[in-house]
């Protein structure tokens, strides 16, 4: 999880007056799900790829995580209403010519508090009994200010002279469940904190979708942004975008905004005048009568109030065809009217960011066929199921058996739960990888059925070379290699657990867990990356018509490199290099054109040692230190194709990037190396050849 905060701090003191707290802009990145989305304390998504508060290297809205496929430039909440007879619209983000940051026109919310985090996972450092999901981000912001207080001065928020005087309690929710890791829910509780009512309210969310692969094409210029196709699925209240003509083959995914529901005066909306609206417009367009960017308050309110999807059927069908073609557009999905919000009253408004891989039906992305959208529709269904919570049939009534927590009212965001993740330990060795796990999953209690419904375990591993062949989605590269489940109940394979159960549970020094199971991968190629995931699955819930649920592969994913274990001195032989000779490019290096993405491996090293590399004439080329904590952090290859923060190595191997200490590309030829054991000072020498 990456985070940056800008705290605008008051400097100086003012006698005989209370000091005013500065306004804060804070952002964090979701990391529980397979969506890496920048979320701000002002209810915004995305970081504009270049925003002034952007964390270096952080995604804007990436799916799958680590793929480089971005989906959003930025987006934010819109609230329109009538106060004292005057139309006013407060916007959290918009494609305004004056800029993309708080204090600019169209960025009209402010906050005194940072974005806070909590989790309902007991072993999470942010655990809280108040948490809803595996990772909640939450904050409070308002539209009451017409200036941004920096701590020493006020910056006018242009065009925000008549705020609606509303306070917003914002929560972003995401889960690591395999059936829920493709959406992030944004929930807003909007309260009137001003004097007098606000009438005819419309709530919406605007997003500038951009589905491009930044590993293939760097952001910048109109040609990067004008490749999006758009659409709206009326039956799902969902607006979506896809890459119609850009990085085709590298951006096989959809991004969508889906309306989930509202509660007004503590009830679901039943007014027949209430409707969901969809609008889209071309970036900063001022001329097109239909697809123009609204700049004036009345125009913004009209976009919130009247959707293109409510035009005559033949007109709407023509619009759907038009917006399916590539262009630079943004989407607005809105709901209303909420007739009147009195002082102190609250509206709850929820929507979901939904992503999905595009189905492959042999047609180009621009075809946007039902088969291509099938995964998006399925994922949207899970997002809606998450919102409904106890109200499984969506009728806004607690039917018999639905009041799970017994509080007498519909509780939202209650998901069925697979068994807890099995506590897992991976031990890479010489041409093998041992997988150990505990039996903790077997005692999991489902929050809906209240049953211990554990059924079995599944083990997955990638094929050799997955990392350099398809780095977009490691989950799609996992192959199931084993299933073990409770025998005799006819629910799965009835394979039993004895094949992997240890006769005597084992423990490891410095590890408090006890491990009851073990599986060994033999004949594993050293030096290659393997991704391994172990999951637990349950028996399903026939009463609630739920299929068997499986814990998240992503949440228990390990990137492992088999290799020589750490040498005790040089008792297990001399150090060596492979591949030797090295031919550029070695197959395991992938398609990257960067010289920094090269690697060869020093193997059979002592656990702690220094490695020196020389030319045959005795010039020092590079020096690096090896120790048991090595994770590949000093090699760019691992940043491009792996996850240096979670890599697991055997202890006796270390990758080198074939660059000198001054980051110069080395020449072909013969090289010498010296390994110096830190504990004994003993030295061993060797050589390798580079052929280009």
């Amino acid at each position: 999880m990456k985070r940056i905060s800008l705290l605008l701090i008051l400097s100086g003191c003012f006698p005989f007056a209370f000091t005013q707290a500065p306004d804060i802009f804070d952002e964090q990145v979701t990391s529980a799900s397979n969506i890496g989305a920048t979320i701000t304390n002002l209810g915004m998504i995305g970081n504009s790829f270049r925003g002034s508060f952007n964390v270096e290297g952080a995604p804007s809205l990436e799916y799958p995580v680590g793929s480089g496929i971005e989906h959003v430039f930025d987006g934010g909440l819109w609230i329109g209403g009538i106060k004292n007879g005057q139309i006013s619209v407060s916007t959290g983000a918009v494609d305004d010519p004056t800029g993309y940051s708080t204090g600019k026109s169209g960025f009209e919310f402010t906050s005194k508090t940072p974005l806070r985090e909590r989790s309902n996972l007991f072993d999470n450092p942010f655990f809280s009994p108040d948490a809803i999901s595996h990772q909640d981000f939450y904050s409070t912001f308002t539209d009451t200010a017409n200036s941004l207080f920096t701590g020493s001065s006020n910056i006018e928020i242009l065009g925000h002279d008549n705020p609606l005087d509303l306070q917003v309690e914002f929560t972003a929710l995401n889960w690591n469940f395999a059936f829920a890791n493709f959406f992030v829910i944004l929930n807003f509780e909007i309260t009137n904190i001003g004097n007098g009512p606000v009438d005819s309210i419309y709530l919406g969310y605007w997003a500038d979708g951009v589905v491009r692969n930044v590993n293939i094409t760097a952001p910048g210029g109109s040609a990067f942004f004008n490749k999006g196709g758009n659409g709206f699925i009326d039956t799902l209240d969902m607006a979506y975008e896809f890459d119609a003509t850009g990085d085709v083959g590298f951006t096989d995914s959809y991004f969508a905004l889906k309306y989930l529901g509202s509660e007004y005066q503590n009830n679901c909306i039943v007014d027949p005048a209430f409707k969901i609206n969809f609008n889209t417009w071309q970036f900063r367009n001022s001329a097109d009568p239909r697809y123009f960017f609204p700049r004036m308050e009345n125009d913004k309110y009209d976009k919130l109030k009247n959707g293109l999807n409510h035009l005559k059927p033949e007109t709407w069908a023509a619009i759907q065809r038009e917006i399916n073609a590539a262009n630079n557009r943004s989407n607005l999905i809105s709901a209303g009217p909420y007739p009147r919000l009195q002082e102190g009253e609250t509206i709850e408004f929820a929507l979901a960011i939904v992503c999905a891989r595009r189905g492959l039906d042999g047609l180009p992305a621009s075809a946007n066929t039902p088969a291509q959208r099938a995964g998006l529709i399925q994922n949207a269904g899970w997002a809606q199921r998450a919102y409904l919570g106890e109200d499984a049939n969506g009728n806004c009534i607690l039917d018999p058996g639905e009041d799970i927590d017994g509080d007498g009212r519909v509780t939202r965001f209650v998901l069925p739960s697979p068994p807890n993740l099995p506590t897992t330990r991976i031990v890479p060795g010489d041409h093998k990888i041992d997988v150990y796990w505990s039996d903790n999953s077997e005692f999991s209690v489902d929050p809906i059925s209240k049953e211990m419904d554990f059924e079995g375990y599944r083990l997955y591993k990638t094929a050799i070379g997955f990392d350099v062949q398809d780095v977009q989605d490691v989950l799609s590269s996992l192959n199931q290699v084993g299933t073990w489940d409770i025998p005799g109940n006819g629910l799965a394979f009835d394979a039993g657990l004895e094949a992997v159960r240890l006769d005597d549970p084992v423990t490891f020094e410095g590890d408090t867990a006890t491990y009851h199971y073990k599986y060994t991968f033999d004949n594993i190629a050293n030096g290659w990356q393997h991704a391994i995931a172990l999951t637990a699955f349950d028996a399903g819930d026939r009463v609630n018509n739920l299929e068997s649920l499986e814990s998240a592969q992503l949440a228990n994913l390990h990137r492992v490199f088999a290799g020589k274990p750490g040498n005790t001195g040089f008792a297990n032989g001399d150090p060596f290099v492979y591949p030797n000779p090295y031919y550029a490019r070695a197959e395991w290096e992938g398609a990257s054109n960067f010289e920094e993405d090269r690697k060869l491996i020093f193997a059979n090293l002592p656990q702690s040692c220094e490695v020196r590399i020389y030319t045959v004439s005795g010039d020092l080329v590079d020096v690096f230190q090896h120790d048991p904590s090595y994770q590949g952090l000093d090699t760019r290859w691992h940043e491009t194709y792996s996850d240096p923060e979670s890599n697991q190595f055997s202890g006796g191997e270390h990758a080198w990037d074939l660059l000198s200490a001054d980051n110069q590309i080395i020449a072909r030829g013969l090289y010498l190396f010296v390994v110096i054991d830190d504990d004994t000072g003993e030295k061993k020498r060797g050589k390798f050849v580079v052929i280009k």
Side-chain angles (χ1 to χ4, degrees), residues 458-479:
R458 292 192 180 105
L459 182 63
Y460 301 84
K461 191 180 78 67
T462 53
I464 191 169
F466 85 94
D467 45 8
V468 295
Q469 296 167 7
D470 180 13
V471 297
Q472 293 186 21
D473 186 2
V474 64
L475 295 185
S476 66
S477 298
L478 290 171
N479 302 307

Side-chain angles (χ1 to χ4, degrees), residues 614-681:
Y614 297 89
T615 66
V616 291
S617 60
D619 295 324
L620 182 63
V621 176
D622 200 7
V623 179
F624 62 82
Q625 192 72 28
H626 176 76
D627 60 52
S629 65
Y630 170 70
Q631 289 183 289
L633 294 170
D634 56 351
T635 308
R636 175 171 159 148
W637 185 95
H638 291 94
E639 295 181 4
T640 302
Y641 294 107
S642 188
D643 183 6
E645 295 182 0
S646 61
N647 286 338
Q648 292 176 256
F649 293 87
S650 59
E653 304 206 343
H654 196 117
W656 182 55
D657 56 13
L658 288 94
L659 298 175
S660 73
D662 298 323
N663 289 320
Q664 300 298 309
I665 301 169
I666 66 170
R668 63 185 178 182
L670 177 66
Y671 289 85
L672 310 177
F673 67 87
V674 177
V675 177
I676 307 170
D677 189 315
D678 287 345
D679 295 326
T680 66

Side-chain angles (χ1 to χ4, degrees), residues 433-476:
I433 299 171
D434 291 328
V435 183
Y436 295 87
W437 67 96
S438 178
D439 63 356
N440 62 294
S441 302
E442 298 170 27
F443 305 97
S444 305
V445 177
D446 186 272
I448 292 181
S449 70
K450 305 300 182 183
E451 300 287 337
M452 285 197 302
D453 58 355
F454 167 85
E455 177 61 23
Y457 300 103
R458 292 192 180 105
L459 182 63
Y460 301 84
K461 191 180 78 67
T462 53
I464 191 169
F466 85 94
D467 45 8
V468 295
Q469 296 167 7
D470 180 13
V471 297
Q472 293 186 21
D473 186 2
V474 64
L475 295 185
S476 66

Side-chain angles (χ1 to χ4, degrees), residues 159-183:
H160 190 54
D161 299 326
N162 298 292
L164 294 168
D165 295 328
L166 302 173
Q167 177 177 285
V168 182
E169 298 291 336
F170 165 62
T171 309
L173 312 171
N174 70 135
W175 292 263
N176 68 22
F177 295 146
F179 59 88
N181 68 10
F182 36 70
F183 62 80

